[in-house]
Amino acid sequence: MIQRYRITREMQQPEGEVDPITLEECKAYFALQPDFTYTPVFTVKGEATMSIDGDFFLWDIGTASIPFRHYEGDLYVSGTNEAVIPKMIEVASALRADIAEG
């Protein structure tokens, strides 16, 4: 089973209030990170090739490229690579957000 994490501000808000992580905030933050690149389409290659439209910030670590996806005010990332955990904490801290499973 793939572990997925969500970087969100939802837990910091009083009930009924919303302070989403905006795409503009993400673009500004990740533009300053030399190991991240933005792409509006993420392509997964394996037995078959699949392209997914969206807002992706690809973290290049060694030969891997791990997508952080901005979707509806949150960032999502898979936890299949152990190196993701400290990077995810770093990103959440910089964006003043929390981490949740799912």
Side-chain angles (χ1 to χ4, degrees):
M1 187 168 141
I2 296 175
Q3 185 70 38
R4 185 175 78 158
Y5 295 98
R6 178 171 62 120
I7 299 172
T8 183
R9 292 185 185 141
E10 180 180 89
M11 295 173 270
Q12 300 174 12
Q13 303 309 306
E15 194 170 323
E17 291 188 30
V18 179
D19 182 21
I21 300 169
T22 67
L23 180 57
E24 293 73 27
E25 279 180 281
C26 289
K27 284 183 176 181
Y29 170 72
F30 288 115
L32 299 174
Q33 307 306 310
D35 49 352
F36 278 90
T37 55
Y38 171 78
T39 184
V41 177
F42 178 63
T43 302
V44 180
K45 296 178 182 177
E47 289 182 27
T49 299
M50 177 176 67
S51 294
I52 305 165
D53 292 332
D55 294 296
F56 296 92
F57 300 90
L58 303 179
W59 179 41
D60 293 323
I61 177 168
T63 59
S65 187
I66 300 171
F68 282 67
R69 182 180 189 189
H70 181 268
Y71 182 75
E72 293 187 357
D74 294 327
L75 279 171
Y76 293 86
V77 64
S78 169
T80 55
N81 184 322
E82 290 182 19
V84 164
I85 305 302
K87 181 57 78 171
M88 178 179 55
I89 292 169
E90 178 184 317
V91 170
S93 177
L95 296 173
R96 303 171 329 279
D98 299 305
I99 299 168
E101 288 187 38

